[in-house]
Amino acid sequence: MYDLRWIRENPDAFDAGLAARGLAPLADDILSRDEKARANRTKLQELQNSSNTASKMIGQKKSKGEDADDLIAEVSQIKGELQDREEADKEMSQDLRDSLSGLPNRPEDDVPIGPDEDANIEVRRFGEPTSFDFAPREHFDIGEELGLMDFEAASKISGSRFVVLRGALARLERALAAFMLDMHADEFGYEETSVPLLVREHTAFGTGNLPKFEEDLFKTTDGFYLIPTAEMVLTNLVRDGVLGEGELPLRYIAHTPCFRSEAGAAGRDTRGILRQHQFYKVEMVSISHPDQSGEELDRMTGCAENILKRLEIPYRVMLLSSGDMGFSARRTYDIEAWMPGQDNYREISSCSNCGDFQARRMSARFKPSKGKGTEFVHTLNGSGLAVGRTMIAVMENYQLEGGGFAIPAALQPYLSGRTRIG
C-alpha cells in the first residue's frame, strides 16, 4: 500500500516503480483525484465551522428573544450540503484506497528490470548438478514404482493436482518438516508457531492477497479463506499494534498445509507433486526495523540455503526481476534446487523483503526509542522450505540405479536411522 504523501513528494519515482512492473504511469491521475478529495475535505471543514457558528448565533438570538429563522434556514441548508460532501468524501477516499490497494510494491532501485524470469540474475550457487551413470528419472516415476506415491487414488477422491503418499514417503514428508523446524527454531532463532488455516478477508488484504488475487484462493461458503501460505497469518500477528523498537526483529516459523487454486497454472507441471492444490510448507516471517530489513533478508535467505546445504542438494540463488517478483515484494531471492529428473533448477524457496508495503495495509507500527510518534515496521517472508519440493529434490538427487533412493545423512535420525527407501 502506498502513502499518498510520498506520492505527492515523489511522483516520478512512483511512476518509475510502476513502469518497472510493466504498468502505465498513474501519478497524475492519483494526485488529481487526491487534490479533489482534499479540496472537498477542506470545504467540508469550512461548512462544519459555518454550521457551528450559525448554531451558536441561533442560541444567542433565542436567549434574547430575537427572531432566528434566517439562521435556522441557513443551518438547514448547510446540513444538506454537509451530508452531500461527507458522502462524496467517503466515495473519493474509498476510490483512492481501492486504486492504491491494487498496485504492486515498488522494486528496489537495483532490482533488474524485466517482464519475467528471463531477466532474473544468478547471485551464487552451491554444489554442482548431480550426475549419474544412468539416465535419472523424475520423482513421480520413482514414487509410483515404489507404490508409495498414489495419484490415481487422490484423483478419485479429489481430482487433479492431489496425491496420496504412503508408508515411507509419508514418513519422509513428516521427517523433512521436523528437520526444517528444528533447524530454524534451534539454530536460527525463529519462534515455532501453530496458526489457523482459515482467515478473514482483512487478513488476506493485509498481506496483499486481496483484492487482486482472489481467484488464487479457496473461499468457504461463510467467508473464510484457506491460507495459501503461513505468511498470511504470521505477518498479521502484528496488525493494528505498536511494538517497542527493542522488540525488533520478531522471527516466526510455522509448518502448515497450504491451499492454492493454481488458477494461472493450466497445463504447467501437471505430473507429479511440484504444483498442487494442497501441499506442506515451512514458512519464515520476520518483522524488522526499517533500517535492518535488507540485512534481515540476507539472513533469512541464508537460513533457507542452510537447509539445502545440510541435505547436500545443489542449488542456485536468483535475484528476481521486477516482473517476476510477487505483488507485495520489493526485493526477492529465489532458491532453486537442482532436479536431475528434469535436468533443471526449480524454485524451492522464495525470500522477500516487502518493506512497509504490508505494514501499511495492516497498520503495523513500532515506537522508536528516540523521538516521537511511530513508524511502520518492515515485513519479510520466505519458504524454509517447501516440503514437497524438497522431497522431490531428495528423491531425484539421491536416486539409485536399481530403484528407490538413498536418505541424506542429516535426515536419517528422523527416520530411525534408515539409509534408503526402496
Side-chain angles (χ1 to χ4, degrees):
M1 196 75 166
Y2 288 91
D3 179 12
L4 269 170
R5 181 183 301 175
W6 182 85
I7 298 175
R8 291 182 206 122
E9 297 172 353
N10 304 275
D12 292 339
F14 175 70
D15 279 343
L18 295 182
R21 290 286 202 164
L23 300 175
L26 287 174
D28 288 345
D29 176 62
I30 294 288
L31 293 179
S32 174
R33 290 152 60 193
D34 175 48
E35 187 176 350
K36 291 178 182 178
R38 293 164 68 197
N40 181 72
R41 211 164 292 129
T42 299
K43 184 62 176 177
L44 188 62
Q45 185 62 51
E46 291 174 353
L47 288 169
Q48 188 64 60
N49 291 338
S50 297
S51 177
N52 292 340
T53 300
S55 296
K56 185 177 180 180
M57 292 175 64
I58 290 171
Q60 291 172 349
K61 283 198 171 190
K62 285 187 174 181
S63 67
K64 296 177 182 180
E66 297 176 0
D67 179 63
D69 288 349
D70 57 337
L71 287 173
I72 291 173
E74 181 183 343
V75 168
S76 178
Q77 181 180 349
I78 290 174
K79 284 185 176 179
E81 190 173 351
L82 269 173
Q83 185 175 353
D84 292 341
R85 294 273 181 183
E86 286 172 349
E87 290 178 359
D89 180 60
K90 289 180 182 178
E91 290 177 3
M92 286 189 282
S93 296
Q94 188 61 49
D95 183 51
L96 272 171
R97 180 177 173 82
D98 289 345
S99 295
L100 292 174
S101 68
L103 297 176
N105 201 354
R106 188 173 71 94
E108 290 185 354
D109 293 338
D110 64 340
V111 165
I113 306 299
D116 51 37
E117 66 274 7
D118 291 337
N120 296 346
I121 296 175
E122 183 174 325
V123 178
R124 58 184 170 272
R125 62 172 61 194
F126 168 82
E128 294 297 324
T130 311
S131 59
F132 299 90
D133 295 331
F134 56 92
R137 297 185 297 168
E138 294 199 52
H139 68 282
F140 47 82
D141 289 326
I142 299 169
E144 287 183 313
E145 182 182 67
L146 293 171
L148 303 178
M149 192 171 280
D150 195 336
F151 297 100
E152 183 178 353
S155 180
K156 290 178 182 178
I157 297 165
S158 302
S160 62
R161 297 194 186 275
F162 291 93
V163 70
V164 172
L165 299 180
R166 302 181 185 276
L169 276 191
R171 187 173 180 186
L172 175 61
E173 181 181 55
R174 175 162 55 91
L176 281 165
F179 167 68
M180 294 173 191
L181 287 170
D182 286 349
M183 279 195 68
H184 288 301
D186 297 340
E187 299 185 30
F188 305 143
Y190 286 86
E191 180 183 2
E192 186 171 350
T193 314
S194 180
V195 300
L197 306 181
L198 293 166
V199 300
R200 290 296 189 186
E201 181 178 346
H202 64 269
T203 305
F205 177 86
T207 49
N209 297 85
L210 290 179
K212 193 172 179 64
F213 302 101
E214 184 163 13
E215 68 172 5
D216 295 325
L217 304 176
F218 286 111
K219 187 177 182 180
T220 68
T221 55
D222 54 356
F224 285 102
Y225 290 90
L226 286 164
I227 63 169
T229 166
E231 171 210 344
M232 187 181 283
V233 187
L234 295 175
T235 308
N236 273 275
L237 290 176
V238 296
R239 71 173 297 116
D240 296 326
V242 179
L243 299 165
E245 183 174 348
E247 297 179 73
L248 302 175
L250 297 174
R251 298 183 179 118
Y252 301 115
I253 192 80
H255 167 236
T256 67
C258 304
F259 305 92
R260 299 185 184 178
S261 70
E262 296 293 350
R268 296 173 58 193
D269 303 312
T270 54
R271 291 204 64 188
I273 63 171
L274 192 74
R275 194 182 300 274
Q276 296 198 294
H277 291 311
Q278 174 188 317
F279 58 95
Y280 288 93
K281 183 151 69 82
V282 172
E283 182 75 2
M284 303 174 286
V285 160
S286 293
I287 312 298
S288 169
H289 189 288
D291 295 341
Q292 299 166 355
S293 63
E295 295 177 6
E296 187 68 19
L297 176 62
D298 292 339
R299 181 189 189 278
M300 176 180 282
T301 307
C303 291
E305 288 182 67
N306 270 299
I307 300 293
L308 290 175
K309 287 178 179 177
R310 197 72 61 88
L311 294 173
E312 300 182 78
I313 292 174
Y315 68 85
R316 67 182 183 183
V317 178
M318 308 293 291
L319 174 61
L320 297 197
S321 71
S322 57
D324 199 30
M325 288 195 307
F327 179 82
S328 296
R330 72 178 197 179
R331 187 182 194 86
T332 298
Y333 292 110
D334 268 10
I335 303 173
E336 299 178 345
W338 175 251
M339 306 292 190
Q342 299 181 49
D343 192 33
N344 200 2
Y345 288 97
R346 298 301 301 266
E347 178 202 334
I348 202 166
S349 172
S350 189
C351 298
S352 299
N353 183 359
C354 299
D356 63 2
F357 187 83
Q358 293 176 326
R360 289 183 180 278
R361 299 169 79 100
M362 300 184 302
S363 189
R365 302 170 179 265
F366 75 99
K367 184 174 178 56
S369 55
K370 297 180 181 179
K372 298 180 180 179
T374 61
E375 297 179 30
F376 288 104
V377 298
H378 280 195
T379 62
L380 303 94
N381 64 82
S383 313
L385 307 162
V387 177
R389 292 190 176 199
T390 308
M391 183 188 299
I392 294 174
V394 168
M395 293 174 70
E396 293 194 6
N397 281 280
Y398 283 86
Q399 60 183 287
L400 302 170
E401 185 173 13
F405 57 95
I407 303 296
L411 282 180
Q412 292 175 14
Y414 292 85
L415 292 162
S416 302
R418 189 168 185 166
T419 59
R420 62 177 288 173
I421 291 176

